[in-house]
Amino acid sequence: MENNITTKKVTFKVFRFNSETDYLPYYDEYAFDVTSEDVVLDILNKIKWEEDGSFSYRRSCRHGICGACAMKVNGRATLACKERMFDMIDLYGNEMTLEPSSIKRAVKDLIIDKGDFWAKHEQISPYLIADIDENPDEERLVPPEKAEDILEADLCIQCGACHYSCPVVEINEEFIGPAAFVKAYRFEADVRDSKHNERFHEISKPEQGVWDCVKCMECAEACPKEINPIEKITKLHNMLFQEGIIGDNPVAERHAVGFAHSIKKHGLLDEGELVRYSEGNVGVLKHVPIALKMFKKGKIVLPWNMPKSEKLDEIQKLVKSSHNPKY
């Protein structure tokens, strides 16, 4: 029987670090013939089994559903057991850098300390809180239509893949992170939960809360369960509006409102007015140097030159039909 397995030569630059013995991390380089059947995890195994037995990384199910082998290839969040090497070669060519999900949290090679993840998880009270009869006569059921509102957020397995793919988590130690927001949404969407007010204020804190999400979609790409954390974060935004909850620093909230205001008025986004609406006439002054550069590039226009969409009437109808916040 003819063997149809093809191979390609790839050079791997692999992150190495031992927190007990190393002052700084370094990189080892390996070159392998990669087959059309290999995934990234096969390469990690090959390094450990054939090159250096001290090389460390996490792995478990090998079915792409547990998130244990989450790492980064050329800076991109990757599930090692799921990503085919030939797909990686199509993306990056024949040279790749293998690194942990978070370099600054590295403990041993690709293994990281997830202590901050669990602290953020605990911060949002990740459990059902309700006043209940300790000896009920019947089970308190959730109506099927209300159960659908949870949007499978209850399927999150707390693997942390989305958390460490988030660029805000990487630069802001205070940011709660997408996984914790998913868990917060799971209970905010549960009709039995009664901790709404406290949890809402927790997730709307400046520098920590949902308003500091930059909508990069990296969390949705990284999630092995395809839960789509950004969808839940957007739902939390809407919940905060509907409850009329304004955080200690309302700039982010006003930014969201200003976005809708601009679309309703023009059918297009007025970048200059959005900043003024969000930060006020005084606050906008600090952005003048950037605004001048944006104006030269045609990114913003003067207020009297702001165009309007040809389908403004249809857009306004859509905004009106979907607009219900109290804020």
Side-chain angles (χ1 to χ4, degrees):
M1 184 176 179
E2 186 177 347
N3 187 350
N4 293 321
I5 298 177
T6 58
T7 63
K8 295 180 181 180
K9 193 78 163 183
V10 181
T11 299
F12 298 95
K13 188 179 178 183
V14 184
F15 179 91
R16 302 301 305 272
F17 179 69
N18 186 339
S19 60
E20 295 183 353
T21 59
D22 297 331
Y23 180 69
L24 291 172
Y26 59 96
Y27 290 82
D28 281 338
E29 193 169 292
Y30 305 96
F32 296 121
D33 287 324
V34 173
T35 75
S36 56
E37 296 183 337
D38 284 336
V39 294
V40 177
L41 182 58
D42 291 315
I43 302 306
L44 302 183
N45 290 339
K46 185 174 290 189
I47 294 172
K48 184 173 184 66
W49 297 343
E50 300 179 9
E51 301 291 335
D52 186 347
S54 69
F55 179 55
S56 301
Y57 50 98
R58 286 191 173 107
R59 64 186 188 272
S60 185
C61 74
R62 200 181 170 90
H63 287 85
I65 58 172
C66 76
C69 60
M71 54 172 290
K72 288 186 177 179
V73 177
N74 285 24
R76 173 180 175 267
T78 301
L79 206 59
C81 71
K82 191 174 182 179
E83 298 285 356
R84 296 178 63 252
M85 280 306 309
F86 273 28
D87 292 338
M88 295 287 97
I89 293 171
D90 289 341
L91 280 174
Y92 304 120
N94 294 77
E95 294 184 1
M96 298 182 199
T97 301
L98 310 183
E99 295 173 317
S101 296
S102 175
I103 288 178
K104 66 182 180 181
R105 296 175 177 87
V107 175
K108 180 70 166 65
D109 301 332
L110 303 191
I111 296 175
I112 64 172
D113 180 355
K114 295 185 178 182
D116 68 301
F117 169 77
W118 291 111
K120 301 298 174 54
H121 180 261
E122 184 64 25
Q123 185 176 341
I124 53 87
S125 302
Y127 36 80
L128 187 69
I129 300 174
D131 294 326
I132 61 172
D133 183 353
E134 294 185 2
N135 301 290
D137 294 328
E138 58 184 16
E139 183 179 0
R140 186 181 180 186
L141 299 176
V142 178
E145 64 275 11
K146 294 298 183 181
E148 290 292 329
D149 291 342
I150 295 177
L151 299 175
E152 298 186 338
D154 53 328
L155 299 182
C156 175
I157 55 175
Q158 288 85 56
C159 67
C162 68
H163 185 81
Y164 295 110
S165 72
C166 175
V168 184
V169 168
E170 192 64 20
I171 64 173
N172 179 5
E173 296 287 345
E174 300 299 319
F175 187 58
I176 294 175
F181 291 141
V182 167
K183 187 61 69 173
Y185 174 79
R186 180 260 175 271
F187 292 108
E188 290 304 321
D190 193 316
V191 294
R192 300 168 297 177
D193 190 84
S194 59
K195 195 179 172 64
H196 297 296
N197 192 54
E198 295 91 336
R199 197 181 283 115
F200 275 145
H201 281 285
E202 191 68 39
I203 65 172
S204 62
K205 288 181 178 179
E207 299 183 4
Q208 296 186 26
V210 290
W211 298 112
D212 284 272
C213 169
V214 296
K215 305 294 195 304
C216 66
M217 306 298 290
E218 291 291 336
C219 57
E221 291 289 330
C223 179
K225 302 291 285 185
E226 299 183 356
I227 290 172
N228 192 5
I230 190 65
E231 176 190 37
K232 282 62 178 178
I233 292 172
T234 302
K235 292 286 186 181
L236 289 172
H237 287 158
N238 293 337
M239 287 177 172
L240 290 170
F241 280 135
Q242 289 164 2
E243 292 293 324
I245 294 177
I246 303 174
D248 297 332
N249 182 1
V251 171
E253 293 98 318
R254 290 187 60 81
H255 184 276
V257 176
F259 193 101
H261 177 75
S262 178
I263 298 299
K264 181 179 179 181
K265 184 177 180 180
H266 304 289
L268 303 167
L269 181 60
D270 184 345
E271 299 274 5
E273 174 61 17
L274 180 61
V275 176
R276 190 199 67 79
Y277 189 96
S278 301
E279 303 193 32
N281 294 326
V282 176
V284 78
L285 294 177
K286 65 183 179 182
H287 299 293
V288 169
I290 296 177
L292 291 174
K293 294 179 181 179
M294 293 176 69
F295 178 75
K296 291 179 181 179
K297 296 290 185 179
K299 182 66 174 176
I300 59 175
V301 298
L302 296 174
W304 52 84
N305 289 331
M306 184 64 195
K308 295 186 182 299
S309 171
E310 295 178 358
K311 297 184 178 181
L312 181 59
D313 291 343
E314 295 181 28
I315 293 172
Q316 289 175 338
K317 289 178 182 178
L318 289 171
V319 172
K320 184 177 180 181
S321 67
S322 62
H323 186 76
N324 63 0
K326 299 177 183 178
Y327 184 80

